[in-house]
Amino acid sequence: MRRVSIFGATGSIGQNTIDLIRRAPDEYDVVALTGAHNIEQLARDAIELNAQVAVTAEDDLLDDLRDALSGSSVEAAAGAAAIEEAAHRPADWTMSAIVGAAGLAPGLAALEQGTTLALANKESLVCAGELLLATRKAHGATILPVDSEHSAVFQALIGEDLAAVERVIITASGGAFRDWPLDQLAEATLEQASSHPNWDMGQRITIDSASMFNKAMELIETREFFGVSPEQIETLVHPQSMIHALVGFNDGALMAHVGPPDMRHAIGFALHHPTRRHIPVERLDLAAIGTFEFRAPDLRRWPALGIARDVMERGGLSGAVFNAAKETALDAFIAGQIGFLAMADVVRATLDTLEASDGHIDATMTLDNVLQIDHLARKAARAIIEQ
Ligand code: NDP
Ligand code: MG
């Protein structure tokens, strides 16, 4: 039996992971499931999968969780520290699918016990890529990317020599506003930004897809995880979302990873790695699809892509500033405090502010320093929003 834990079990990635585990329950011994607000789902899944412990991030919801678990043998716990404690419980495979920087500390704790970390939480790599990879190395752990583009790159690189890689092309659907007139973007509403043409995902990443902050994060993620230089990373708009990424080699060959826009593929790949198993995703009928389209990204439409370039060049803790500012700006957009295009302005202004302050961005990458700069950047971003 493989011991598995799922952090962010109640979310979109978490539920897709449970869907795959549920198909072969005898193969898995579920250690921990975590969530935040969705207590009912968390308790139902924890009881069904006979988890050791269910943890909510919300201290106030501990009693509700206890009630929902009553009569079962599943332990209940609450709070960020309890999530970290659950991540320290030995597991062979751990899904990191909490949304936001809150996924970093549990991810590091899971690596410390030598797990195979299936990493959906891209924020960890953006905020603290170097730290995550160093922790993996120090504890003989493994990280498998779950973001579909990075799973695609990982798969295209199997059996290849990284030194022969010329470029990595990350595709982007273009999100909700791909074809909107530029002059209307500033007026885009929350509802319009919250629907994705191809993927069914959590609300935050869906809005980040419309603004391409999601793609911006993924460019940084690519640099951190695969160690390629910023100049080697390209973005390509591909409205069908079926080619997830391409890797270009020094002989001119391009290896493309093609599949339906269904996260269970990338999750299943990470779950069964290094083998491949049947996964119940749609099989593509390419003749019926007929055409794949490609376009160069327009930086006026998606300023986040330009900001990501600057962050990759800057290095240090600027990824943590970028992520914290982006999360704060996204909160403000969701709350109706700023417009859609203002999110990029807030992120850029926060980076400028932190850059101008005394060397925080160049501090050593420790968890404490990342959390500290995350805090400072959120404060600076809020001040910019309230100006
Ligand atoms: P969701 O919003 O659907 O789920 C987020 C999960 O995190 C939920 O379980 C939620 O609990 C929990 N959560 C929220 N806030 C906290 C917190 N402060 N502390 C601990 N747990 C918390 O997100 P997704 O599943 O869409 O995304 C998860 C991660 O995977 C993100 O980093 C995202 O960028 C990445 N990703 C997602 C993809 C997708 O297709 N959805 C594709 C590629 C990457 P609850 O719901 O109970 O409140
Ligand atoms: Mg992705």
Side-chain angles (χ1 to χ4, degrees):
M1 295 262 272
R2 282 173 82 198
R3 296 166 302 175
V4 302
S5 285
I6 305 172
F7 292 81
T10 49
S12 165
I13 293 284
Q15 288 294 299
N16 276 309
T17 308
I18 288 176
D19 177 74
L20 294 178
I21 285 181
R22 185 178 276 137
R23 289 163 196 269
D26 298 345
E27 293 182 24
Y28 304 105
D29 182 1
V30 177
V31 179
L33 296 185
T34 81
H37 292 98
N38 194 347
I39 297 300
E40 208 179 299
Q41 185 75 53
L42 178 62
R44 197 177 326 125
D45 291 336
I47 292 169
E48 180 198 332
L49 298 174
N50 196 22
Q52 273 175 27
V53 61
V55 194
T56 165
E58 299 295 317
D59 290 302
D60 298 350
L61 297 178
L62 180 58
D63 288 342
D64 293 355
L65 182 61
R66 281 203 178 111
D67 288 349
L69 291 171
S70 70
S72 78
S73 59
V74 184
E75 284 170 55
I83 291 186
E84 232 179 292
E85 187 278 323
H88 273 118
R89 296 192 185 200
D92 303 305
W93 189 88
T94 304
M95 169 53 77
S96 165
I98 289 173
V99 66
L104 175 60
L108 289 170
L111 289 172
E112 282 166 12
Q113 47 88 4
T115 198
T116 291
L117 190 71
L119 189 65
N121 177 265
K122 59 188 78 185
E123 296 86 350
S124 319
L125 271 174
V126 172
C127 294
E130 197 186 307
L131 177 62
L132 213 67
L133 299 191
T135 308
R136 165 182 75 176
K137 193 169 173 199
H139 298 275
T142 302
I143 302 177
L144 295 171
V146 171
D147 210 345
S148 55
E149 296 76 4
H150 306 80
S151 174
V153 173
F154 185 90
Q155 293 181 52
L157 285 173
I158 291 173
E160 302 286 356
D161 180 359
L162 252 184
V165 172
E166 255 177 17
R167 56 186 180 147
V168 175
I169 304 174
I170 301 294
T171 57
S173 69
F177 304 137
R178 182 179 61 219
D179 301 313
W180 271 40
L182 269 182
D183 59 2
Q184 285 180 21
L185 272 185
E187 309 304 324
T189 65
L190 175 61
E191 198 189 345
Q192 288 163 333
S194 301
S195 91
H196 196 284
N198 304 336
W199 295 90
D200 180 15
M201 309 184 286
Q203 186 194 35
R204 298 181 73 86
I205 185 173
T206 301
I207 301 169
D208 282 349
S209 296
S211 62
M212 284 246 200
F213 266 111
N214 180 48
K215 211 48 56 182
M217 307 269 287
E218 290 179 1
L219 299 182
I220 302 170
E221 212 184 334
T222 305
R223 163 151 180 72
E224 295 297 330
F225 191 77
F226 298 104
V228 284
S229 68
E231 302 76 44
Q232 289 176 292
I233 309 171
E234 299 172 20
T235 316
L236 179 68
V237 177
H238 164 49
Q240 288 78 18
S241 293
M242 289 185 194
I243 298 181
H244 302 301
L246 304 98
V247 178
F249 293 93
N250 56 8
D251 60 355
L254 277 175
M255 296 294 285
H257 179 278
V258 187
D262 186 328
M263 285 309 294
R264 287 176 305 172
H265 174 75
I267 296 167
F269 178 82
L271 182 61
H272 303 309
H273 182 76
T275 60
R276 281 190 190 269
R277 290 237 207 135
H278 177 271
I279 296 179
V281 297
E282 180 199 344
R283 269 47 181 169
L284 292 183
D285 179 346
L286 293 176
I289 294 163
T291 312
F292 279 169
E293 297 164 78
F294 304 104
R295 302 179 205 168
D298 177 351
L299 292 188
R300 287 169 309 161
R301 183 178 296 275
W302 295 300
L305 297 177
I307 302 177
R309 297 262 159 216
D310 294 345
V311 169
M312 288 192 285
E313 294 298 340
R314 183 66 185 74
L317 297 181
S318 61
V321 175
F322 170 80
N323 179 68
K326 193 277 294 177
E327 288 192 31
T328 310
L330 179 59
D331 288 338
F333 174 68
I334 292 174
Q337 293 162 349
I338 58 171
F340 183 73
L341 285 181
M343 287 192 283
D345 299 335
V346 169
V347 173
R348 200 171 270 292
T350 308
L351 279 159
D352 289 347
T353 305
L354 270 283
E355 173 84 14
S357 66
D358 56 355
H360 290 299
I361 285 184
D362 296 313
T364 319
M365 192 179 282
T366 59
L367 180 59
D368 282 349
N369 286 345
V370 171
L371 295 179
Q372 193 202 356
I373 203 161
D374 174 278
H375 175 74
L376 290 173
R378 281 172 205 266
K379 208 166 129 193
R382 271 194 298 273
I384 291 163
I385 289 163
E386 280 153 21
Q387 253 168 29

